[in-house]
Amino acid sequence: MTQFQIAVIVGSLRQDSFNKKLATALPKLSPPEFTFKQVRISDLPLYNQDDDEHQAASVVRLKSEIKAAHGLLFVTPEYNRSMPGVLKNALDHASRPYGDSAWAGKPAGVLGVSVGAIGTAMAQQHLRNVLAYLNVPTLGQPEAFIQVKEGLFDPDGCFGEGSRKFLQGWMDLYVAWIRKHAA
């Protein structure tokens, strides 16, 4: 049986982040041959093109983890109608220097959760625009603009009854997307 390693990039640094909870609960809906690893982006320096030839150890580690993955899962909050700066910083670092992008060709899924009524719709759209430029084939449907409501998560950190069916459907299509691109 083929094993699939998925690099999970969470666009929030907050300790009690809803998006970290989402990124932790989602793998519980995947088949056993899928392994999800949250990659660290909190220790990356601010991107500076002057550093492309001598990237920091944290950048080298990030690029190595992305390159080793069969697929990507982006879980992002929305800050000021866009993706968080820390996520954009990670995207920039792992795409450089020009011609040595760790992202290129890696299939991805994008989703996020917010207390707002439209979830993270704008952040996801901006992220998708950047991913298209970086040659990251991204699952288009279903979109997942999740609003934090009572019962989204159960006390054990799994999905509540009201949200599990939708998120299982999303995960099933994501798994098929990754398998399709691995073939």
Side-chain angles (χ1 to χ4, degrees):
M1 178 182 341
T2 302
Q3 293 291 312
F4 297 93
Q5 175 67 38
I6 306 300
V8 181
I9 301 93
V10 180
S12 177
L13 302 181
R14 191 169 68 87
Q15 184 66 34
D16 200 29
S17 162
F18 294 122
N19 285 280
K20 283 183 185 177
K21 289 180 182 179
L22 179 63
T24 301
L26 274 170
K28 297 172 187 173
L29 303 176
S30 71
E33 64 271 19
F34 276 70
T35 304
F36 293 76
K37 179 184 178 191
Q38 292 185 30
V39 297
R40 185 173 172 198
I41 62 173
S42 62
D43 61 342
L44 300 174
L46 292 176
Y47 176 73
N48 179 339
Q49 190 175 4
D50 291 341
D51 299 330
D52 279 359
E53 296 305 314
H54 303 287
Q55 293 177 317
S58 58
V59 174
V60 172
R61 184 208 71 240
L62 172 67
K63 291 182 75 169
S64 174
E65 290 174 342
I66 299 303
K67 287 179 179 180
H70 297 98
L72 309 168
L73 178 62
F74 290 91
V75 185
T76 186
E78 183 169 300
Y79 294 172
N80 300 316
R81 295 285 189 249
S82 191
M83 73 181 100
V86 69
L87 177 54
K88 180 63 166 75
N89 190 53
L91 291 165
D92 292 343
H93 269 300
S95 71
R96 304 297 296 186
Y98 183 79
D100 186 28
S101 175
W103 307 112
K106 300 284 181 178
V110 175
L111 71 168
V113 60
S114 171
V115 296
I118 61 169
T120 60
M122 294 297 294
Q124 289 186 44
Q125 187 56 52
H126 289 172
L127 176 55
R128 288 173 185 279
N129 289 344
V130 174
L131 294 176
Y133 175 77
L134 295 175
N135 192 29
V136 175
T138 306
L139 177 66
Q141 295 293 327
E143 294 176 311
F145 309 136
I146 304 163
Q147 183 181 21
V148 176
K149 291 185 176 182
E150 186 68 33
L152 175 61
F153 300 105
D154 68 17
D156 296 325
C158 296
F159 294 115
E161 198 59 42
S163 52
R164 188 177 305 116
K165 181 179 178 184
F166 171 77
L167 290 163
Q168 183 64 66
W170 188 93
M171 179 57 79
D172 293 347
L173 289 169
Y174 173 76
V175 164
W177 181 253
I178 298 300
R179 285 185 171 137
K180 172 185 171 186
H181 286 275

